[in-house]
Amino acid sequence: MTTGKVDFTRVKWWSMEWTMIVTLYLRAYESRSQHSILDDHFAAEAVDRIDYDFARMKRYLRPSSNQFIVVLRAKQFDVWAADFLVRHPDAVVLHLACGLDSRALRLHPPAGVDWFDLDLPGVIELRRQLYPERDHYRMIGASVTDADWLDELPADRPALVIAEGLLMYLDERDVRQLLQRLTDHFSGGELLFDGMVPWVVKLMKIFRWGIRDGRQLEQWNPRLKYLEETSPTAHFAEIPVPSMRMVYRICNAIPATRNYNRQFRFRF
Ligand SMILES: C[S@@+](CC[C@H](N)C(=O)[O-])C[C@H]1O[C@@H](n2cnc3c(N)ncnc32)[C@H](O)[C@@H]1O
């Protein structure tokens, strides 16, 4: 982490930058609880350093209940990613739409791993004020829809691609092209991402792409092999607060609330 106060007051509500402050704030909030699930103290340190109206954000987000959806989702990606890195200590990690997420620090990747965090140029500019680059860790300021940034990445090592909270913001055409470019570039690896169901995309104007069935991606791109999927609510048992555990347990029992945001793991 770098030091000193960082000014985020220009970030507008409901902008792309705002969405990443939301998830950062919820991870930071959760890390302060006594029995934290994700224990993302890097997020808490980042929030402490950011100049932003977090009091207003807290009133709006109601983090005591909403923290868990973000944290359980992040935890599942951490578990899948850590498992990949144990199997492939020479991996290349491409963390798309990293926002202000500290996964590259949380997971303590093995020394042989090269980690690339990518987000839009404006986001990376903000991110650089919080997290420094170091050996085997680089940040790329680009849109995932840009053509050339992938050429900078080693293609012949096992690749782990993580897209958390990204694909729902893209058009279907861009999702298809991105997946194609990834599988064309890397010789093999795994892809972790989450997606919204189509009815949520219709409801929320900020989203553009929804996924009904994970296997549809195999038809789009035969290199992608579906491995598994889950939902943040499926891990309700990890929630340490009994009343919230009960709420998430009920959400998990109802297909509409269990499946509105699902996490997928594919091999390629
Ligand atoms: C909901 S935030 C998630 C951030 C991070 N993954 C997390 O969980 O905290 C969505 C992120 O997607 C990024 N994003 C949206 N469109 C993008 C694009 N075309 N290329 C790269 N990043 C994009 C935004 O800048 C933002 O950081």
Side-chain angles (χ1 to χ4, degrees), residues 15-24 27 70 73-74 77 95-103 106 118-124 127 140 142-146 149 162-170 174 194 207-208:
S15 65
M16 267 300 157
E17 288 90 349
W18 180 78
T19 65
M20 72 175 180
I21 300 177
V22 166
T23 48
L24 176 79
R27 287 191 298 270
V70 164
R73 183 177 77 173
F77 284 129
H95 190 203
L96 299 173
C98 58
L100 300 174
D101 189 14
S102 68
R103 179 163 288 121
R106 282 201 305 275
L118 178 141
D119 208 302
L120 297 170
V123 170
I124 292 297
R127 186 181 171 92
I140 303 172
S143 169
V144 293
T145 56
D146 293 345
W149 54 266
I162 309 169
E164 177 177 8
L166 169 68
L167 299 187
M168 60 286 275
Y169 296 105
L170 305 180
D174 289 334
D194 63 316
F207 298 139
R208 291 197 230 149

Side-chain angles (χ1 to χ4, degrees), residues 146-186:
D146 293 345
D148 41 2
W149 54 266
L150 248 182
D151 302 339
E152 301 171 33
L153 272 63
D156 52 354
R157 287 160 51 189
L160 176 66
V161 181
I162 309 169
E164 177 177 8
L166 169 68
L167 299 187
M168 60 286 275
Y169 296 105
L170 305 180
D171 292 325
E172 179 176 311
R173 194 181 57 113
D174 289 334
V175 175
R176 280 178 180 245
Q177 278 179 359
L178 173 64
L179 298 179
Q180 192 61 50
R181 281 191 290 121
L182 290 168
T183 56
D184 286 348
H185 181 79
F186 292 115

